[in-house]
Amino acid sequence: MTVRIADRRRRLGRALGVLPGVVLHLLASVAAWTFVQVNGLMVAGCGSDRSCDFVLTDAAVNGVQPALIVVWAITTALAIARPLAWGRSPWPVLGAGIGVSAVLTVAAYMVLRAGAGVF
């Protein structure tokens, strides 16, 4: 019986040990969203000299925040559930979530640049 209690404590320790990484992922997502929002000012130069596609710029600026929040929530849930349910390391899940967030941020930035006509 003591082995089972020790195993549960180890699993809980692993799940709680990932919380600093989860917070770091959240802060990185906020920074990425802020980066895309600030670069949304690229449309300030739109006019007769440079035409802009405001559908693309609005989709990029307003679509990146919900996408990053969903990725963070799914990553957090899986990173905490993986050690509790299966006793496995949560770090690969967290790394994949950060990678997906980075890809989404780069895609939003490129769509923003295309919409602002800055290529």
Side-chain angles (χ1 to χ4, degrees):
M1 193 70 163
T2 57
V3 174
R4 293 205 139 198
I5 292 172
D7 188 47
R8 287 182 186 164
R9 287 184 181 166
R10 182 178 53 82
R11 287 181 179 194
L12 182 62
R14 274 190 170 177
L16 293 177
V18 78
L19 290 181
V22 166
V23 171
L24 182 65
H25 183 201
L26 177 64
L27 293 175
S29 294
V30 169
W33 171 68
T34 304
F35 172 76
V36 173
Q37 288 289 319
V38 168
N39 280 301
L41 297 174
M42 280 192 259
V43 297
C46 295
S48 60
D49 296 339
R50 188 177 82 199
S51 62
C52 292
D53 185 356
F54 291 106
V55 173
L56 287 178
T57 57
D58 289 345
V61 170
N62 297 327
V64 72
Q65 181 186 17
L68 289 174
I69 289 172
V70 167
V71 169
W72 177 81
I74 291 171
T75 301
T76 300
L78 290 176
I80 291 174
R82 188 173 181 187
L84 290 176
W86 301 286
R88 302 174 105 186
S89 174
W91 295 107
V93 173
L94 195 62
I98 291 172
V100 169
S101 294
V103 167
L104 285 174
T105 302
V106 169
Y109 179 71
M110 296 309 279
V111 168
L112 181 64
R113 284 182 60 94
V118 186
F119 266 124

